[in-house]
């Protein structure tokens, strides 16, 4: 069984400054391993549900957390962590929602040679370093509003703000060039936008990444239990369709990001955390990672440093975050025998399945 839980959830609100990171943790354990961990940490004596947000604030809770984090089973074979930098995700979505639609309609695959990564990272880095912070914030907010609430007004506001940012005195030539990819996308705006409530929610992308990673590690399709999650519930039917695709197991994608379809899972169910110890462990790890990533200046900085120093919270490979130059250069050399979007679109065409 693999147990999932998240932290830092703000849904499609990617501009929430108080919670800049979204994290997702998964715990893969057998029933016997669950029993062993419960016994070793004194869970029954603890007598209550595990919740990191309550536990880290007092010595008793920190002591219990130490037992969990230092348990021999809490290692890479049983714990898989992932996170998303929400601000970077705004720019990734600008590329994937708007710019990719324009390129696709003009016969160009934006995902070849990492063009999507180059654009997303370039837009992000120039934005965060731009002197006109207020204008950049307006640009980001108007994009998120447009995607969450598509209307003539929200569309006009976003493209108007894009033009203001392009023409701003502090926008250099390179940033101007990248921003100039956006205005022409307006001709495909109806195609690019959707009224789906969780259109830019981060739960499902990280969930899919995690499932694929577990399958690479184990070669086994597992049952899934997810804590009560509105986006997971809303997308459960889509995930089940991807799991039940009537095709041979097929590897798609680029380089190290290759993954397989049908989605390599068995049953997927939503459970209540107080009934599932595995979900409580996932809560502890997801919340602890969010705690470690989020800047703070309060009395818990010292404990935050302690969490950061634990090996399990370092070098999180599954992430949606700014890329290093080395990663982009490596990705530019990678090719795909089967492009994932082409594969899904072909399946949709053959079987009439709506995968948008």
């Amino acid at each position: 069984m693999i147990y999932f839980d998240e932290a830092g959830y703000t849904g499609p609100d990617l501009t929430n400054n108080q919670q800049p990171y979204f994290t997702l943790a998964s715990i893969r354990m057998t029933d016997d391993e669950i029993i062993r961990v419960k016994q070793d940490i004194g869970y029954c004596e603890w007598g209550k549900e595990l919740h990191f947000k309550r536990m880290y604030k007092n010595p008793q809770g920190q002591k219990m957390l130490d037992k969990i984090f230092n348990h021999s089973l809490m290692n890479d074979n049983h714990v898989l962590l992932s996170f998303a930098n929400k601000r970077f995700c705004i720019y990734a979505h600008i590329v994937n929602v708007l710019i990719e639609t324009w390129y696709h309609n003009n016969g160009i695959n934006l995902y070849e040679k990492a063009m999507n990564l180059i654009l997303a990272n370039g837009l992000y880095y120039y934005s965060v370093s731009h002197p006109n912070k207020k204008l950049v914030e307006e640009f980001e907010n108007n994009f998120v509003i447009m995607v969450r609430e598509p209307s003539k007004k929200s569309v006009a506001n976003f493209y108007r703000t894009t033009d203001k940012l392009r023409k701003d005195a502090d926008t250099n030539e390179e940033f101007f060039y990248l921003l100039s990819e956006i205005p022409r996308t307006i001709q495909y705006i109806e195609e690019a936008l959707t009224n789906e409530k969780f259109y830019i929610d981060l739960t499902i992308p990280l969930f899919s990444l995690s499932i694929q990673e577990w399958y690479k590690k184990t070669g086994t399709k597992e049952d899934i239990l997810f804590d009560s999650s509105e986006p997971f519930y809303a997308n459960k039917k889509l995930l089940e369709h991807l799991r039940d695709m009537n095709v041979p197991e097929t590897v798609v994608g680029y380089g190290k990001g290759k993954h397989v379809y049908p989605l390599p899972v068995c049953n997927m169910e939503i459970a209540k955390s107080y009934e599932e110890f595995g979900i409580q462990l996932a809560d502890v790890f997801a919340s602890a990672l969010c705690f470690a990533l989020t800047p703070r200046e309060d009395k818990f900085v010292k404990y935050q440093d302690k969490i950061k120093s634990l090996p399990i919270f370092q070098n999180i490979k599954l992430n949606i975050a700014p890329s290093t130059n080395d990663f982009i250069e490596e990705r530019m050399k990678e090719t795909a025998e089967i492009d994932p979007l082409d594969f899904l679109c072909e399946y949709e065409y053959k079987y009439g399945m709506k995968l948008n």
Side-chain angles (χ1 to χ4, degrees), residues 84-188:
N85 177 322
K86 294 178 188 177
R87 191 175 184 188
F88 174 77
C89 288
I90 292 173
Y91 294 93
H93 280 303
I94 288 174
V95 172
N96 292 329
V97 174
L98 300 181
I99 299 176
E100 191 279 336
T101 302
W102 187 92
Y103 273 86
H104 174 75
N105 279 283
N106 286 273
I108 301 171
N109 185 345
L110 193 64
Y111 300 104
E112 289 183 348
K113 297 184 179 179
M115 288 191 290
N116 63 316
L117 286 179
I118 293 169
L119 283 170
N121 280 273
L123 286 167
Y124 173 79
Y125 281 115
Y126 281 119
S127 294
V128 298
S129 61
H130 198 282
N132 195 336
K133 304 298 183 187
K134 185 176 181 181
L135 181 55
V136 169
E137 182 180 2
E138 181 183 342
F139 172 73
E140 294 172 352
N141 285 334
N142 282 346
F143 172 74
V144 172
I145 291 170
M146 178 182 72
V147 176
R148 295 176 66 186
E149 302 172 14
S151 68
K152 289 183 179 179
K153 181 180 178 181
S154 63
V155 169
N157 285 341
F158 170 69
Y159 283 94
R160 188 180 302 116
T161 309
T162 301
D163 283 338
K164 285 170 60 179
L165 186 54
R166 287 172 70 226
K167 297 171 183 177
D168 188 79
D170 291 315
T171 297
N172 63 29
E173 185 177 352
E174 291 82 3
F175 193 24
F176 175 87
Y177 175 78
L178 291 174
L179 288 169
S180 296
E181 294 278 351
I182 298 173
R184 62 188 179 184
T185 65
I186 196 168
Q187 63 183 299
Y188 300 114

Side-chain angles (χ1 to χ4, degrees), residues 101 147 241 261 306:
T101 302
V147 176
H241 275 303
Y261 287 108
K306 182 178 180 179

Side-chain angles (χ1 to χ4, degrees), residues 34-52:
I34 289 284
I35 292 171
R36 177 181 160 188
V37 174
K38 279 184 174 181
Q39 292 175 341
D40 290 348
I41 68 172
Y43 176 72
C44 293
E45 291 78 8
W46 174 257
K48 48 192 170 185
E49 191 174 346
L50 301 174
H51 277 295
F52 179 85

Side-chain angles (χ1 to χ4, degrees), residues 199-325:
Y199 189 32
I200 56 174
D201 185 277
L202 301 171
T203 308
I204 299 306
L206 288 186
F207 172 76
S208 299
L209 281 174
S210 300
I211 289 299
Q212 296 288 346
E213 187 64 20
W214 277 122
Y215 190 57
K216 288 177 186 176
K217 281 174 173 276
T218 68
T220 304
K221 298 178 182 180
E222 310 281 4
D223 288 338
I224 303 297
L225 279 185
F226 210 113
D227 189 23
S228 301
S229 166
E230 197 176 357
F232 183 80
Y233 179 80
N235 288 282
K236 188 169 181 284
K237 186 175 181 180
L238 169 62
L239 293 170
E240 289 172 341
H241 275 303
L242 293 175
R243 177 197 66 191
D244 299 334
M245 295 171 72
N246 186 25
V247 294
E249 185 170 292
T250 305
V251 179
V252 304
Y254 297 84
K256 295 178 181 178
K258 282 186 168 66
H259 52 282
V260 303
Y261 287 108
L263 192 68
V265 294
C266 291
N267 295 321
M268 295 180 285
E269 301 296 339
I270 296 172
K272 297 175 181 177
S273 61
Y274 65 84
E275 295 177 345
E276 296 291 344
F277 178 72
I279 289 179
Q280 293 175 45
L281 288 178
D283 166 274
V284 165
F285 279 92
S287 296
L289 177 58
C290 201
F291 175 82
L293 291 171
T294 303
R296 62 192 312 124
E297 297 178 354
D298 59 13
K299 63 181 181 180
F300 294 108
V301 169
K302 186 175 180 180
Y303 188 66
Q304 183 187 46
D305 290 339
K306 182 178 180 179
I307 295 294
K308 287 180 181 179
S309 69
L310 295 172
I312 197 72
F313 295 109
Q314 298 177 22
N315 300 319
I316 309 298
K317 295 180 180 178
L318 296 186
N319 61 71
I320 307 174
S323 306
T324 64
N325 288 335

